[in-house]
Amino acid sequence: MKPIFILNGPNLNLLGEREPEIYGGNTLATIEDALRNRAAALGVSIDFRQTNHEGVLIDQIQEARHAASGLILNAGAYTHTSVAIHDALRALSLPIIEVHLSNIYKREAFRHHSYVSPAATGVICGLGAQGYGLALDAVAEILKASAPINRSPHA
Ligand code: DQA
């Protein structure tokens, strides 16, 4: 099966150092490690990336069209600004889960609007690093439910 892409946008490389009271103490590398273990337990593979550049994120979302079986996206601040990311997501026919570590609805008003949500299958926010794991469970479950049943010819 194709990997599940887990894409992270701007400033998420600073997790652990940046506003830990909001984003928690986990680094992105720790989150990636935990997701690799969880993916192995679920029998799926992941392709985990981070970029600070909007165009690179769009290229990666476009790549997911043919190279991924599902997409987990924390677009960081581009969530609230990027029509281009919204458009790129609308070109996908994959399960898409939007993740935010913080509860964006509890924060400044400019974070209350997401250009990602209307293109997403589901949204998880406010659960910290745990949200990524829950998103992976959800994508694995959706893929399992949509997989063709492998019937033996002799059954
Ligand atoms: C974030 C929330 C965004 O508003 C913010 O710009 C981020 C991180 C989160 O994971 O909580 O960079 O996506």
Side-chain angles (χ1 to χ4, degrees):
M1 195 202 277
K2 293 174 189 172
I4 296 165
F5 276 22
I6 305 179
L7 303 182
N8 295 279
N11 299 309
L12 290 164
N13 55 314
L14 299 181
L15 280 185
E17 298 169 36
R18 166 198 183 211
E19 302 185 276
E21 65 289 357
I22 295 175
Y23 297 116
N26 286 301
T27 63
L28 203 58
T30 313
I31 293 174
E32 180 177 358
D33 280 353
L35 288 169
R36 289 204 179 283
N37 291 336
R38 197 154 182 149
L42 289 165
V44 296
S45 67
I46 60 170
D47 191 331
F48 188 96
R49 305 183 196 178
Q50 188 276 330
T51 176
N52 288 328
H53 304 279
E54 185 175 13
V56 173
L57 194 51
I58 291 164
D59 286 344
Q60 293 175 351
I61 292 168
Q62 288 190 10
E63 189 186 333
R65 293 178 71 214
H66 300 298
S69 59
L71 173 63
I72 295 168
L73 174 64
N74 183 350
Y78 291 141
T79 304
H80 318 298
T81 62
S82 181
V83 176
I85 287 175
H86 171 90
D87 286 348
L89 290 169
R90 286 179 62 107
L92 298 188
S93 344
L94 305 170
I96 300 170
I97 309 290
E98 174 183 2
V99 170
H100 301 283
L101 295 144
S102 63
N103 180 349
I104 55 176
Y105 301 102
K106 244 181 163 174
R107 301 182 62 196
E108 304 96 320
F110 64 82
R111 295 184 204 274
H112 295 178
H113 180 262
S114 166
Y115 283 102
V116 173
S117 297
T121 311
V123 182
I124 298 173
C125 81
L127 298 178
Q130 197 193 352
Y132 283 88
L134 296 171
L136 189 57
D137 288 352
V139 174
E141 194 61 39
I142 292 166
L143 294 175
K144 205 167 81 182
S146 65
I149 298 165
N150 187 10
R151 291 187 202 284
S152 145
H154 306 297

